[in-house]
Amino acid sequence: MSENDEMSGTNVTEAASATGRAGAPGAGRGGTGGKTAVTPPTHASPPARFSHGVRKGGILQVAGQVGFLPAAPGEPPAVAGPTLREQTRQTLANVEAVLTEAGATWDDVVMLRVYLTDVAHFAEMNEVYDAYLADVAVPPARTTVYVGLPQGLLVEIDALAVLD
């Protein structure tokens, strides 16, 4: 499937058939087991074989999102800007886009993981993060770790949500 194919049509997809063992739908390598991929129309195809989000039952796992601006058909991904502040805002917006596409909100998020490339960015990221999630009644649990990311990217965030 090309990037353009994925960006058009249905955004939440379920694999065509569950072809697991007899009597166990979705139980083999070919089945979905009720898993659905979640791809907002603003997101380009991932650079490898993974989904931007996966929902199974009441669980939604949002893959690590970075500060790419909404996808433009036929254009390579563009970073929101060179600053941590710009990238953090866009990264949170990209997480929110996956949540929204799956029918979830920030109030459904129970865990976030923040990946930063520089220890010195922690306080600034917290400032942007706190402002972005100011209206969330019970903030999610969070872990922050320091990592290497592709050149130009300063922050990545993934999320786990539980939907009722």
Side-chain angles (χ1 to χ4, degrees), residues 44-145:
S45 296
R49 188 167 163 68
F50 65 87
S51 300
H52 287 291
V54 173
R55 182 171 181 177
K56 184 168 182 173
I59 303 293
L60 171 66
Q61 177 65 56
V62 178
Q65 301 293 303
V66 294
F68 288 144
L69 294 167
E75 296 293 323
V79 180
T83 70
L84 178 74
R85 188 170 298 281
E86 293 166 309
Q87 288 190 31
T88 301
R89 276 195 207 108
Q90 187 62 52
T91 299
L92 288 164
N94 291 343
V95 170
E96 186 170 4
V98 178
L99 293 170
T100 300
E101 191 66 30
T105 70
W106 286 108
D107 288 316
D108 298 311
V109 176
V110 295
M111 180 65 186
L112 282 174
R113 280 169 294 274
V114 177
Y115 307 89
L116 292 172
T117 60
D118 189 334
V119 177
H121 289 157
F122 187 75
E124 185 177 11
M125 182 279 300
N126 271 338
E127 184 182 314
V128 175
Y129 174 91
D130 286 348
Y132 199 94
L133 297 178
D135 295 332
V136 176
V138 177
R142 191 184 92 189
T143 299
T144 303
V145 295

